[in-house]
Amino acid sequence: MKKLSYLRLFSCLPLIAVIIPDVTETFINPGFKLPFFHVMAGAALATIIGTCTLIIRYQKKQELKLQYQHS
């Protein structure tokens, strides 16, 4: 589970690095069009983050169930 947490953390950093320049460019230049690669990379990173979050949540629930069963 620790590896999933690291993957989720390090997926957030590139996502932020893609989003911040694009958002600032759209404020400065209203005619700016997002590159297709940035959209796809952002979607892929958001999917990875969401998947890791769901897996971590599921594993924590399973751990809690085991703790209640043992006590």
Side-chain angles (χ1 to χ4, degrees):
M1 188 161 61
K2 193 173 188 179
K3 290 180 183 179
L4 283 173
S5 297
Y6 287 143
L7 178 63
R8 183 174 64 171
L9 171 72
F10 288 113
S11 296
C12 287
L13 298 174
L15 180 62
I16 292 168
V18 168
I19 290 174
I20 290 175
D22 289 343
V23 169
T24 55
E25 184 66 29
T26 54
F27 285 139
I28 294 170
N29 182 8
F32 176 72
K33 295 189 183 198
L34 291 173
F36 180 71
F37 177 75
H38 287 195
V39 174
M40 292 307 296
L45 290 168
T47 303
I48 290 170
I49 293 166
T51 304
C52 288
T53 303
L54 291 174
I55 292 171
I56 289 170
R57 185 177 297 160
Y58 177 76
Q59 287 180 347
K60 284 186 179 182
K61 282 184 180 180
Q62 293 300 319
E63 286 177 8
L64 285 174
K65 284 181 183 179
L66 286 175
Q67 286 177 357
Y68 287 133
Q69 287 176 355
H70 289 294
S71 49

Short mmCIF file of all heavy atoms in Angstrom, two decimals:
data_model
loop_
_atom_site.label_atom_id
_atom_site.label_comp_id
_atom_site.label_asym_id
_atom_site.label_seq_id
_atom_site.Cartn_x
_atom_site.Cartn_y
_atom_site.Cartn_z
N MET A 1 0.83 -1.19 0.00
CA MET A 1 0.00 0.00 0.00
C MET A 1 0.87 1.25 0.00
O MET A 1 0.48 2.27 -0.55
CB MET A 1 -0.94 -0.01 1.20
CG MET A 1 -1.94 1.09 1.14
SD MET A 1 -3.39 0.89 2.17
CE MET A 1 -2.74 0.82 3.78
N LYS A 2 2.05 1.14 0.58
CA LYS A 2 2.95 2.27 0.62
C LYS A 2 3.39 2.65 -0.80
O LYS A 2 3.51 3.82 -1.13
CB LYS A 2 4.16 1.94 1.48
CG LYS A 2 5.00 3.10 1.85
CD LYS A 2 6.06 2.67 2.84
CE LYS A 2 6.81 3.84 3.38
NZ LYS A 2 7.82 3.45 4.37
N LYS A 3 3.58 1.62 -1.65
CA LYS A 3 3.98 1.89 -3.03
C LYS A 3 2.88 2.61 -3.79
O LYS A 3 3.15 3.49 -4.60
CB LYS A 3 4.34 0.58 -3.73
CG LYS A 3 5.61 -0.04 -3.24
CD LYS A 3 5.90 -1.33 -3.98
CE LYS A 3 7.14 -1.99 -3.41
NZ LYS A 3 7.43 -3.25 -4.09
N LEU A 4 1.63 2.23 -3.52
CA LEU A 4 0.51 2.92 -4.17
C LEU A 4 0.43 4.38 -3.73
O LEU A 4 0.12 5.26 -4.53
CB LEU A 4 -0.80 2.22 -3.85
CG LEU A 4 -1.08 0.95 -4.62
CD1 LEU A 4 -2.33 0.28 -4.08
CD2 LEU A 4 -1.23 1.22 -6.08
N SER A 5 0.73 4.63 -2.47
CA SER A 5 0.71 6.01 -1.98
C SER A 5 1.80 6.83 -2.67
O SER A 5 1.56 7.99 -3.04
CB SER A 5 0.94 6.04 -0.47
OG SER A 5 -0.11 5.37 0.18
N TYR A 6 2.97 6.24 -2.84
CA TYR A 6 4.05 6.94 -3.54
C TYR A 6 3.68 7.18 -5.00
O TYR A 6 3.95 8.26 -5.54
CB TYR A 6 5.35 6.16 -3.46
CG TYR A 6 6.00 6.19 -2.11
CD1 TYR A 6 6.65 5.08 -1.62
CD2 TYR A 6 5.97 7.33 -1.31
CE1 TYR A 6 7.26 5.09 -0.38
CE2 TYR A 6 6.56 7.34 -0.07
CZ TYR A 6 7.22 6.23 0.39
OH TYR A 6 7.81 6.25 1.62
N LEU A 7 3.08 6.19 -5.64
CA LEU A 7 2.68 6.36 -7.03
C LEU A 7 1.66 7.48 -7.16
O LEU A 7 1.74 8.31 -8.07
CB LEU A 7 2.10 5.05 -7.58
CG LEU A 7 1.60 5.10 -9.02
CD1 LEU A 7 2.74 5.39 -9.98
CD2 LEU A 7 0.93 3.79 -9.38
N ARG A 8 0.71 7.51 -6.24
CA ARG A 8 -0.31 8.57 -6.26
C ARG A 8 0.34 9.93 -6.04
O ARG A 8 0.02 10.89 -6.74
CB ARG A 8 -1.36 8.29 -5.19
CG ARG A 8 -2.48 9.29 -5.19
CD ARG A 8 -3.55 8.91 -4.23
NE ARG A 8 -3.07 8.92 -2.86
CZ ARG A 8 -3.82 8.79 -1.80
NH1 ARG A 8 -5.11 8.60 -1.94
NH2 ARG A 8 -3.31 8.82 -0.60
N LEU A 9 1.26 10.02 -5.11
CA LEU A 9 1.95 11.28 -4.84
C LEU A 9 2.73 11.75 -6.05
O LEU A 9 2.62 12.90 -6.47
CB LEU A 9 2.88 11.12 -3.63
CG LEU A 9 3.82 12.29 -3.35
CD1 LEU A 9 3.01 13.46 -2.80
CD2 LEU A 9 4.90 11.88 -2.39
N PHE A 10 3.52 10.86 -6.63
CA PHE A 10 4.36 11.26 -7.75
C PHE A 10 3.60 11.38 -9.06
O PHE A 10 4.12 11.91 -10.03
CB PHE A 10 5.55 10.31 -7.89
CG PHE A 10 6.56 10.52 -6.79
CD1 PHE A 10 6.78 9.53 -5.85
CD2 PHE A 10 7.26 11.70 -6.68
CE1 PHE A 10 7.69 9.72 -4.83
CE2 PHE A 10 8.17 11.90 -5.67
CZ PHE A 10 8.39 10.92 -4.74
N SER A 11 2.35 10.95 -9.10
CA SER A 11 1.49 11.22 -10.25
C SER A 11 0.88 12.61 -10.15
O SER A 11 0.56 13.23 -11.16
CB SER A 11 0.37 10.19 -10.35
OG SER A 11 0.89 8.92 -10.59
N CYS A 12 0.71 13.09 -8.93
CA CYS A 12 0.16 14.43 -8.73
C CYS A 12 1.13 15.51 -9.19
O CYS A 12 0.71 16.53 -9.74
CB CYS A 12 -0.17 14.67 -7.26
SG CYS A 12 -1.61 13.79 -6.68
N LEU A 13 2.41 15.30 -8.97
CA LEU A 13 3.39 16.32 -9.32
C LEU A 13 3.42 16.63 -10.82
O LEU A 13 3.35 17.80 -11.20
CB LEU A 13 4.78 15.91 -8.81
CG LEU A 13 4.89 15.77 -7.29
CD1 LEU A 13 6.25 15.24 -6.90
CD2 LEU A 13 4.61 17.08 -6.59
N PRO A 14 3.50 15.62 -11.71
CA PRO A 14 3.45 15.95 -13.14
C PRO A 14 2.10 16.52 -13.57
O PRO A 14 2.05 17.36 -14.47
CB PRO A 14 3.71 14.63 -13.85
CG PRO A 14 4.17 13.67 -12.83
CD PRO A 14 3.78 14.21 -11.50
N LEU A 15 1.03 16.07 -12.93
CA LEU A 15 -0.28 16.62 -13.27
C LEU A 15 -0.33 18.11 -12.97
O LEU A 15 -0.79 18.90 -13.79
CB LEU A 15 -1.38 15.89 -12.50
CG LEU A 15 -2.80 16.35 -12.76
CD1 LEU A 15 -3.18 16.13 -14.21
CD2 LEU A 15 -3.76 15.63 -11.85
N ILE A 16 0.19 18.50 -11.84
CA ILE A 16 0.24 19.92 -11.47
C ILE A 16 1.16 20.67 -12.43
O ILE A 16 0.87 21.79 -12.84
CB ILE A 16 0.68 20.08 -10.00
CG1 ILE A 16 -0.41 19.55 -9.08
CG2 ILE A 16 1.00 21.53 -9.68
CD1 ILE A 16 0.02 19.39 -7.64
N ALA A 17 2.28 20.03 -12.80
CA ALA A 17 3.23 20.67 -13.72
C ALA A 17 2.63 20.86 -15.11
O ALA A 17 3.05 21.76 -15.84
CB ALA A 17 4.49 19.83 -13.81
N VAL A 18 1.65 20.06 -15.50
CA VAL A 18 0.98 20.23 -16.78
C VAL A 18 -0.13 21.27 -16.66
O VAL A 18 -0.32 22.10 -17.55
CB VAL A 18 0.42 18.88 -17.29
CG1 VAL A 18 -0.51 19.07 -18.46
CG2 VAL A 18 1.55 17.94 -17.66
N ILE A 19 -0.86 21.24 -15.56
CA ILE A 19 -2.03 22.11 -15.43
C ILE A 19 -1.66 23.57 -15.22
O ILE A 19 -2.25 24.46 -15.86
CB ILE A 19 -2.92 21.62 -14.26
CG1 ILE A 19 -3.59 20.30 -14.65
CG2 ILE A 19 -3.97 22.65 -13.90
CD1 ILE A 19 -4.38 19.67 -13.53
N ILE A 20 -0.70 23.86 -14.36
CA ILE A 20 -0.38 25.26 -14.02
C ILE A 20 0.04 26.09 -15.24
O ILE A 20 -0.50 27.17 -15.46
CB ILE A 20 0.66 25.33 -12.88
CG1 ILE A 20 0.02 24.87 -11.58
CG2 ILE A 20 1.23 26.75 -12.73
CD1 ILE A 20 0.97 24.79 -10.42
N PRO A 21 0.99 25.61 -16.07
CA PRO A 21 1.35 26.44 -17.24
C PRO A 21 0.19 26.61 -18.22
O PRO A 21 0.04 27.68 -18.81
CB PRO A 21 2.49 25.67 -17.90
CG PRO A 21 3.02 24.76 -16.87
CD PRO A 21 1.88 24.46 -15.95
N ASP A 22 -0.62 25.57 -18.39
CA ASP A 22 -1.74 25.68 -19.32
C ASP A 22 -2.77 26.69 -18.83
O ASP A 22 -3.30 27.47 -19.62
CB ASP A 22 -2.39 24.32 -19.54
CG ASP A 22 -1.53 23.39 -20.37
OD1 ASP A 22 -0.59 23.89 -21.03
OD2 ASP A 22 -1.79 22.18 -20.35
N VAL A 23 -3.06 26.66 -17.54
CA VAL A 23 -4.04 27.60 -16.99
C VAL A 23 -3.53 29.03 -17.08
O VAL A 23 -4.27 29.94 -17.48
CB VAL A 23 -4.39 27.23 -15.52
CG1 VAL A 23 -5.18 28.31 -14.84
CG2 VAL A 23 -5.14 25.92 -15.48
N THR A 24 -2.28 29.25 -16.74
CA THR A 24 -1.74 30.61 -16.82
C THR A 24 -1.69 31.10 -18.26
O THR A 24 -1.95 32.28 -18.53
CB THR A 24 -0.34 30.70 -16.18
OG1 THR A 24 0.52 29.74 -16.80
CG2 THR A 24 -0.39 30.45 -14.70
N GLU A 25 -1.38 30.21 -19.20
CA GLU A 25 -1.35 30.60 -20.61
C GLU A 25 -2.74 30.97 -21.11
O GLU A 25 -2.89 31.91 -21.90
CB GLU A 25 -0.76 29.47 -21.45
CG GLU A 25 -0.60 29.82 -22.91
CD GLU A 25 0.43 30.91 -23.19
OE1 GLU A 25 1.38 31.03 -22.40
OE2 GLU A 25 0.26 31.65 -24.17
N THR A 26 -3.76 30.25 -20.65
CA THR A 26 -5.12 30.60 -21.09
C THR A 26 -5.58 31.94 -20.50
O THR A 26 -6.37 32.64 -21.14
CB THR A 26 -6.14 29.51 -20.72
OG1 THR A 26 -6.06 29.23 -19.33
CG2 THR A 26 -5.90 28.25 -21.51
N PHE A 27 -5.08 32.30 -19.32
CA PHE A 27 -5.41 33.61 -18.76
C PHE A 27 -4.70 34.72 -19.53
O PHE A 27 -5.26 35.79 -19.77
CB PHE A 27 -5.04 33.71 -17.29
CG PHE A 27 -5.99 32.98 -16.38
CD1 PHE A 27 -5.50 32.24 -15.32
CD2 PHE A 27 -7.36 33.02 -16.57
CE1 PHE A 27 -6.36 31.56 -14.47
CE2 PHE A 27 -8.23 32.35 -15.73
CZ PHE A 27 -7.72 31.62 -14.68
N ILE A 28 -3.45 34.48 -19.91
CA ILE A 28 -2.67 35.50 -20.61
C ILE A 28 -3.10 35.62 -22.07
O ILE A 28 -3.24 36.72 -22.59
CB ILE A 28 -1.16 35.16 -20.51
CG1 ILE A 28 -0.70 35.26 -19.07
CG2 ILE A 28 -0.33 36.08 -21.40
CD1 ILE A 28 0.69 34.71 -18.83
N ASN A 29 -3.30 34.47 -22.71
CA ASN A 29 -3.62 34.44 -24.13
C ASN A 29 -4.95 33.72 -24.32
O ASN A 29 -4.98 32.49 -24.34
CB ASN A 29 -2.49 33.73 -24.89
CG ASN A 29 -2.70 33.68 -26.37
OD1 ASN A 29 -3.61 34.30 -26.89
ND2 ASN A 29 -1.85 32.93 -27.05
N PRO A 30 -6.06 34.45 -24.47
CA PRO A 30 -7.37 33.80 -24.58
C PRO A 30 -7.51 32.87 -25.79
O PRO A 30 -8.31 31.96 -25.79
CB PRO A 30 -8.35 34.96 -24.69
CG PRO A 30 -7.62 36.16 -24.24
CD PRO A 30 -6.17 35.90 -24.47
N GLY A 31 -6.71 33.08 -26.85
CA GLY A 31 -6.79 32.24 -28.03
C GLY A 31 -5.96 30.96 -27.93
O GLY A 31 -5.89 30.19 -28.88
N PHE A 32 -5.36 30.73 -26.78
CA PHE A 32 -4.50 29.56 -26.60
C PHE A 32 -5.34 28.29 -26.61
O PHE A 32 -6.37 28.21 -25.96
CB PHE A 32 -3.74 29.68 -25.27
CG PHE A 32 -2.89 28.49 -24.93
CD1 PHE A 32 -1.73 28.24 -25.62
CD2 PHE A 32 -3.27 27.62 -23.91
CE1 PHE A 32 -0.94 27.15 -25.29
CE2 PHE A 32 -2.49 26.53 -23.59
CZ PHE A 32 -1.31 26.30 -24.28
N LYS A 33 -4.88 27.31 -27.37
CA LYS A 33 -5.55 26.02 -27.41
C LYS A 33 -4.65 24.98 -26.73
O LYS A 33 -3.45 24.94 -26.97
CB LYS A 33 -5.85 25.60 -28.83
CG LYS A 33 -6.82 26.54 -29.49
CD LYS A 33 -7.27 26.03 -30.81
CE LYS A 33 -8.17 27.11 -31.37
NZ LYS A 33 -9.01 26.73 -32.39
N LEU A 34 -5.25 24.20 -25.86
CA LEU A 34 -4.48 23.18 -25.15
C LEU A 34 -3.96 22.13 -26.12
O LEU A 34 -4.71 21.64 -26.96
CB LEU A 34 -5.34 22.49 -24.10
CG LEU A 34 -5.76 23.32 -22.91
CD1 LEU A 34 -6.74 22.54 -22.06
CD2 LEU A 34 -4.56 23.69 -22.08
N PRO A 35 -2.68 21.78 -25.99
CA PRO A 35 -2.16 20.70 -26.82
C PRO A 35 -2.84 19.38 -26.45
O PRO A 35 -3.14 19.12 -25.29
CB PRO A 35 -0.67 20.65 -26.46
CG PRO A 35 -0.37 21.96 -25.84
CD PRO A 35 -1.64 22.44 -25.21
N PHE A 36 -3.08 18.56 -27.46
CA PHE A 36 -3.76 17.28 -27.26
C PHE A 36 -2.98 16.41 -26.28
O PHE A 36 -3.57 15.73 -25.45
CB PHE A 36 -3.92 16.57 -28.61
CG PHE A 36 -4.60 15.24 -28.49
CD1 PHE A 36 -5.95 15.17 -28.21
CD2 PHE A 36 -3.89 14.07 -28.66
CE1 PHE A 36 -6.60 13.95 -28.09
CE2 PHE A 36 -4.53 12.84 -28.55
CZ PHE A 36 -5.88 12.78 -28.27
N PHE A 37 -1.65 16.45 -26.37
CA PHE A 37 -0.83 15.65 -25.47
C PHE A 37 -1.05 16.04 -24.02
O PHE A 37 -1.10 15.19 -23.14
CB PHE A 37 0.66 15.78 -25.83
CG PHE A 37 1.55 15.03 -24.90
CD1 PHE A 37 1.65 13.65 -24.96
CD2 PHE A 37 2.28 15.69 -23.92
CE1 PHE A 37 2.45 12.95 -24.09
CE2 PHE A 37 3.09 15.00 -23.05
CZ PHE A 37 3.18 13.62 -23.13
N HIS A 38 -1.19 17.33 -23.76
CA HIS A 38 -1.41 17.79 -22.38
C HIS A 38 -2.75 17.29 -21.85
O HIS A 38 -2.86 16.92 -20.67
CB HIS A 38 -1.36 19.30 -22.30
CG HIS A 38 0.02 19.86 -22.44
ND1 HIS A 38 0.33 21.15 -22.10
CD2 HIS A 38 1.17 19.31 -22.88
CE1 HIS A 38 1.61 21.37 -22.33
NE2 HIS A 38 2.14 20.26 -22.82
N VAL A 39 -3.75 17.30 -22.70
CA VAL A 39 -5.08 16.82 -22.28
C VAL A 39 -5.01 15.32 -21.98
O VAL A 39 -5.52 14.86 -20.95
CB VAL A 39 -6.13 17.11 -23.37
CG1 VAL A 39 -7.47 16.48 -23.02
CG2 VAL A 39 -6.28 18.62 -23.56
N MET A 40 -4.38 14.56 -22.87
CA MET A 40 -4.28 13.11 -22.67
C MET A 40 -3.40 12.76 -21.47
O MET A 40 -3.73 11.86 -20.70
CB MET A 40 -3.72 12.44 -23.94
CG MET A 40 -4.67 12.51 -25.11
SD MET A 40 -6.32 11.88 -24.74
CE MET A 40 -5.98 10.19 -24.41
N ALA A 41 -2.30 13.48 -21.30
CA ALA A 41 -1.43 13.23 -20.14
C ALA A 41 -2.16 13.56 -18.85
O ALA A 41 -2.07 12.81 -17.86
CB ALA A 41 -0.15 14.06 -20.26
N GLY A 42 -2.88 14.66 -18.82
CA GLY A 42 -3.65 15.03 -17.63
C GLY A 42 -4.72 14.01 -17.31
O GLY A 42 -4.93 13.63 -16.15
N ALA A 43 -5.41 13.52 -18.35
CA ALA A 43 -6.45 12.51 -18.13
C ALA A 43 -5.85 11.20 -17.63
O ALA A 43 -6.40 10.56 -16.73
CB ALA A 43 -7.21 12.27 -19.43
N ALA A 44 -4.72 10.82 -18.19
CA ALA A 44 -4.07 9.57 -17.75
C ALA A 44 -3.59 9.69 -16.30
O ALA A 44 -3.79 8.76 -15.50
CB ALA A 44 -2.89 9.25 -18.66
N LEU A 45 -2.99 10.81 -15.96
CA LEU A 45 -2.52 11.00 -14.58
C LEU A 45 -3.68 11.06 -13.60
O LEU A 45 -3.61 10.49 -12.51
CB LEU A 45 -1.65 12.25 -14.49
CG LEU A 45 -0.30 12.15 -15.19
CD1 LEU A 45 0.36 13.53 -15.29
CD2 LEU A 45 0.61 11.19 -14.46
N ALA A 46 -4.76 11.72 -13.98
CA ALA A 46 -5.94 11.78 -13.10
C ALA A 46 -6.54 10.38 -12.92
O ALA A 46 -6.97 10.03 -11.82
CB ALA A 46 -6.98 12.73 -13.67
N THR A 47 -6.52 9.57 -13.97
CA THR A 47 -7.01 8.20 -13.87
C THR A 47 -6.13 7.37 -12.95
O THR A 47 -6.64 6.60 -12.12
CB THR A 47 -7.06 7.55 -15.27
OG1 THR A 47 -7.89 8.35 -16.11
CG2 THR A 47 -7.61 6.14 -15.21
N ILE A 48 -4.83 7.53 -13.06
CA ILE A 48 -3.90 6.81 -12.19
C ILE A 48 -4.13 7.20 -10.73
O ILE A 48 -4.18 6.35 -9.85
CB ILE A 48 -2.44 7.07 -12.60
CG1 ILE A 48 -2.14 6.40 -13.94
CG2 ILE A 48 -1.46 6.59 -11.53
CD1 ILE A 48 -0.82 6.79 -14.55
N ILE A 49 -4.26 8.49 -10.49
CA ILE A 49 -4.47 8.98 -9.12
C ILE A 49 -5.79 8.43 -8.56
O ILE A 49 -5.86 7.96 -7.42
CB ILE A 49 -4.46 10.52 -9.08
CG1 ILE A 49 -3.06 11.03 -9.42
CG2 ILE A 49 -4.91 11.05 -7.72
CD1 ILE A 49 -3.00 12.51 -9.74
N GLY A 50 -6.85 8.48 -9.36
CA GLY A 50 -8.14 7.97 -8.91
C GLY A 50 -8.11 6.47 -8.64
O GLY A 50 -8.66 5.99 -7.64
N THR A 51 -7.46 5.72 -9.52
CA THR A 51 -7.36 4.28 -9.34
C THR A 51 -6.58 3.94 -8.07
O THR A 51 -7.00 3.07 -7.30
CB THR A 51 -6.69 3.63 -10.57
OG1 THR A 51 -7.42 3.98 -11.73
CG2 THR A 51 -6.62 2.13 -10.43
N CYS A 52 -5.46 4.61 -7.87
CA CYS A 52 -4.67 4.36 -6.66
C CYS A 52 -5.47 4.70 -5.41
O CYS A 52 -5.41 3.98 -4.41
CB CYS A 52 -3.38 5.16 -6.69
SG CYS A 52 -2.16 4.57 -7.87
N THR A 53 -6.21 5.79 -5.46
CA THR A 53 -7.01 6.19 -4.31
C THR A 53 -8.07 5.14 -3.99
O THR A 53 -8.27 4.78 -2.82
CB THR A 53 -7.68 7.55 -4.58
OG1 THR A 53 -6.66 8.51 -4.86
CG2 THR A 53 -8.50 8.01 -3.39
N LEU A 54 -8.74 4.63 -5.01
CA LEU A 54 -9.76 3.60 -4.79
C LEU A 54 -9.15 2.31 -4.24
O LEU A 54 -9.72 1.68 -3.34
CB LEU A 54 -10.51 3.32 -6.09
CG LEU A 54 -11.42 4.44 -6.58
CD1 LEU A 54 -11.99 4.09 -7.94
CD2 LEU A 54 -12.52 4.71 -5.58
N ILE A 55 -7.99 1.91 -4.77
CA ILE A 55 -7.34 0.70 -4.28
C ILE A 55 -6.90 0.86 -2.84
O ILE A 55 -7.09 -0.04 -2.00
CB ILE A 55 -6.14 0.32 -5.18
CG1 ILE A 55 -6.65 -0.11 -6.56
CG2 ILE A 55 -5.31 -0.78 -4.55
CD1 ILE A 55 -5.55 -0.28 -7.59
N ILE A 56 -6.34 2.01 -2.50
CA ILE A 56 -5.90 2.26 -1.13
C ILE A 56 -7.11 2.24 -0.18
O ILE A 56 -7.06 1.65 0.89
CB ILE A 56 -5.15 3.61 -1.03
CG1 ILE A 56 -3.79 3.48 -1.72
CG2 ILE A 56 -4.97 4.04 0.42
CD1 ILE A 56 -3.07 4.80 -1.91
N ARG A 57 -8.20 2.88 -0.59
CA ARG A 57 -9.41 2.89 0.23
C ARG A 57 -9.94 1.47 0.45
O ARG A 57 -10.32 1.09 1.55
CB ARG A 57 -10.48 3.76 -0.42
CG ARG A 57 -11.71 3.92 0.45
CD ARG A 57 -12.72 4.84 -0.17
NE ARG A 57 -12.15 6.17 -0.30
CZ ARG A 57 -12.60 7.10 -1.12
NH1 ARG A 57 -13.63 6.84 -1.90
NH2 ARG A 57 -12.05 8.28 -1.17
N TYR A 58 -9.96 0.66 -0.61
CA TYR A 58 -10.43 -0.71 -0.51
C TYR A 58 -9.54 -1.53 0.42
O TYR A 58 -10.03 -2.29 1.26
CB TYR A 58 -10.47 -1.35 -1.90
CG TYR A 58 -10.86 -2.80 -1.89
CD1 TYR A 58 -12.19 -3.17 -1.70
CD2 TYR A 58 -9.90 -3.81 -2.05
CE1 TYR A 58 -12.56 -4.50 -1.68
CE2 TYR A 58 -10.27 -5.13 -2.03
CZ TYR A 58 -11.59 -5.48 -1.85
OH TYR A 58 -11.94 -6.80 -1.82
N GLN A 59 -8.22 -1.36 0.31
CA GLN A 59 -7.31 -2.11 1.17
C GLN A 59 -7.45 -1.70 2.63
O GLN A 59 -7.37 -2.54 3.52
CB GLN A 59 -5.86 -1.91 0.70
CG GLN A 59 -5.55 -2.66 -0.57
CD GLN A 59 -4.11 -2.46 -1.03
OE1 GLN A 59 -3.41 -1.59 -0.54
NE2 GLN A 59 -3.71 -3.28 -1.98
N LYS A 60 -7.68 -0.43 2.89
CA LYS A 60 -7.86 0.01 4.27
C LYS A 60 -9.15 -0.57 4.86
O LYS A 60 -9.18 -0.95 6.02
CB LYS A 60 -7.88 1.53 4.36
CG LYS A 60 -6.50 2.14 4.24
CD LYS A 60 -6.53 3.63 4.46
CE LYS A 60 -5.13 4.19 4.37
NZ LYS A 60 -5.08 5.63 4.61
N LYS A 61 -10.21 -0.64 4.04
CA LYS A 61 -11.45 -1.24 4.52
C LYS A 61 -11.25 -2.71 4.84
O LYS A 61 -11.78 -3.22 5.82
CB LYS A 61 -12.56 -1.08 3.48
CG LYS A 61 -13.17 0.29 3.44
CD LYS A 61 -14.33 0.33 2.46
CE LYS A 61 -14.96 1.69 2.41
NZ LYS A 61 -16.08 1.74 1.47
N GLN A 62 -10.49 -3.41 4.01
CA GLN A 62 -10.22 -4.82 4.25
C GLN A 62 -9.42 -5.01 5.54
O GLN A 62 -9.67 -5.94 6.30
CB GLN A 62 -9.47 -5.44 3.06
CG GLN A 62 -10.29 -5.51 1.80
CD GLN A 62 -11.54 -6.34 1.97
OE1 GLN A 62 -11.53 -7.38 2.60
NE2 GLN A 62 -12.64 -5.86 1.41
N GLU A 63 -8.46 -4.13 5.78
CA GLU A 63 -7.68 -4.20 7.02
C GLU A 63 -8.57 -3.97 8.24
O GLU A 63 -8.42 -4.65 9.26
CB GLU A 63 -6.55 -3.17 6.99
CG GLU A 63 -5.41 -3.52 6.08
CD GLU A 63 -4.35 -2.43 6.03
OE1 GLU A 63 -4.44 -1.47 6.82
OE2 GLU A 63 -3.44 -2.54 5.18
N LEU A 64 -9.48 -3.01 8.15
CA LEU A 64 -10.38 -2.75 9.26
C LEU A 64 -11.30 -3.95 9.52
O LEU A 64 -11.57 -4.30 10.67
CB LEU A 64 -11.21 -1.50 9.00
CG LEU A 64 -10.48 -0.17 9.14
CD1 LEU A 64 -11.40 0.97 8.71
CD2 LEU A 64 -10.00 0.03 10.56
N LYS A 65 -11.78 -4.58 8.46
CA LYS A 65 -12.63 -5.75 8.63
C LYS A 65 -11.86 -6.87 9.33
O LYS A 65 -12.40 -7.55 10.20
CB LYS A 65 -13.12 -6.25 7.27
CG LYS A 65 -14.22 -5.43 6.68
CD LYS A 65 -14.68 -6.00 5.36
CE LYS A 65 -15.74 -5.16 4.72
NZ LYS A 65 -16.17 -5.69 3.42
N LEU A 66 -10.61 -7.06 8.95
CA LEU A 66 -9.80 -8.10 9.59
C LEU A 66 -9.55 -7.78 11.07
O LEU A 66 -9.57 -8.67 11.92
CB LEU A 66 -8.47 -8.27 8.86
CG LEU A 66 -8.53 -8.96 7.52
CD1 LEU A 66 -7.15 -8.95 6.86
CD2 LEU A 66 -9.01 -10.38 7.67
N GLN A 67 -9.33 -6.50 11.38
CA GLN A 67 -9.11 -6.12 12.77
C GLN A 67 -10.36 -6.36 13.60
O GLN A 67 -10.28 -6.82 14.73
CB GLN A 67 -8.71 -4.63 12.85
CG GLN A 67 -7.31 -4.36 12.39
CD GLN A 67 -6.98 -2.88 12.41
OE1 GLN A 67 -7.83 -2.04 12.72
NE2 GLN A 67 -5.76 -2.54 12.08
N TYR A 68 -11.53 -6.05 13.06
CA TYR A 68 -12.77 -6.29 13.80
C TYR A 68 -13.06 -7.77 13.97
O TYR A 68 -13.62 -8.19 14.96
CB TYR A 68 -13.95 -5.60 13.11
CG TYR A 68 -13.94 -4.09 13.27
CD1 TYR A 68 -14.16 -3.27 12.18
CD2 TYR A 68 -13.73 -3.50 14.51
CE1 TYR A 68 -14.14 -1.88 12.32
CE2 TYR A 68 -13.71 -2.12 14.66
CZ TYR A 68 -13.92 -1.32 13.56
OH TYR A 68 -13.92 0.04 13.70
N GLN A 69 -12.68 -8.56 12.98
CA GLN A 69 -12.92 -10.00 13.07
C GLN A 69 -12.00 -10.65 14.13
O GLN A 69 -12.40 -11.58 14.79
CB GLN A 69 -12.68 -10.68 11.72
CG GLN A 69 -13.77 -10.38 10.72
CD GLN A 69 -13.47 -10.99 9.36
OE1 GLN A 69 -12.40 -11.54 9.14
NE2 GLN A 69 -14.41 -10.85 8.44
N HIS A 70 -10.79 -10.12 14.27
CA HIS A 70 -9.86 -10.70 15.24
C HIS A 70 -10.17 -10.25 16.67
O HIS A 70 -9.77 -10.90 17.63
CB HIS A 70 -8.43 -10.32 14.89
CG HIS A 70 -7.92 -11.01 13.66
ND1 HIS A 70 -7.72 -12.37 13.60
CD2 HIS A 70 -7.58 -10.53 12.44
CE1 HIS A 70 -7.29 -12.70 12.42
NE2 HIS A 70 -7.20 -11.60 11.67
N SER A 71 -10.86 -9.15 16.83
CA SER A 71 -11.14 -8.68 18.20
C SER A 71 -12.54 -9.02 18.65
O SER A 71 -13.21 -9.85 18.29
CB SER A 71 -10.94 -7.19 18.31
OG SER A 71 -11.58 -6.48 17.30
#
